[in-house]
Amino acid sequence: MYDSIKRIGLSFPIKVNIIDGQYYCKDGNKRLSIIQDLLKNEEGYERRRAVPYIIYNDGSSRSNDCWRDRNMH
């Protein structure tokens, strides 16, 4: 996995929760650890610092764009 991420980057974004303004990794901890190792050990890897992520909604926050309102007839 280390060599794959080094060569092509992340194929799947990391999923995170936001609790009290801090990000907590929900899925992708191993991939995140590999990226940290690459930044430490591989010269020139800094150019790929952007890590794609998805914020996981645990139901504690709601939006005005609720899919149920659109799908009710």
Side-chain angles (χ1 to χ4, degrees):
M1 187 184 275
Y2 185 94
D3 292 331
S4 173
I5 292 175
K6 179 180 173 183
R7 191 169 34 94
I8 63 172
L10 290 178
S11 298
F12 301 98
I14 293 170
K15 293 180 184 176
V16 298
N17 281 338
I18 300 177
I19 301 171
D20 296 328
Q22 297 210 357
Y23 291 83
Y24 294 91
C25 186
K26 180 173 178 67
D27 179 40
N29 193 27
K30 186 172 183 178
R31 289 174 278 159
L32 195 54
S33 296
I34 289 171
I35 289 173
Q36 289 172 337
D37 288 344
L38 284 167
L39 288 169
K40 238 188 288 181
N41 301 325
E42 298 293 331
E43 187 78 28
Y45 193 79
E46 299 85 28
R47 69 184 187 285
R48 293 189 185 186
R49 288 192 77 145
V51 176
Y53 64 93
I54 296 174
I55 299 173
Y56 180 78
N57 185 354
D58 62 358
S60 64
S61 63
R62 301 195 66 166
S63 70
N64 293 333
D65 190 20
C66 185
W67 63 270
R68 286 175 287 179
D69 290 339
R70 288 195 221 156
N71 292 328
M72 300 289 280
H73 298 287

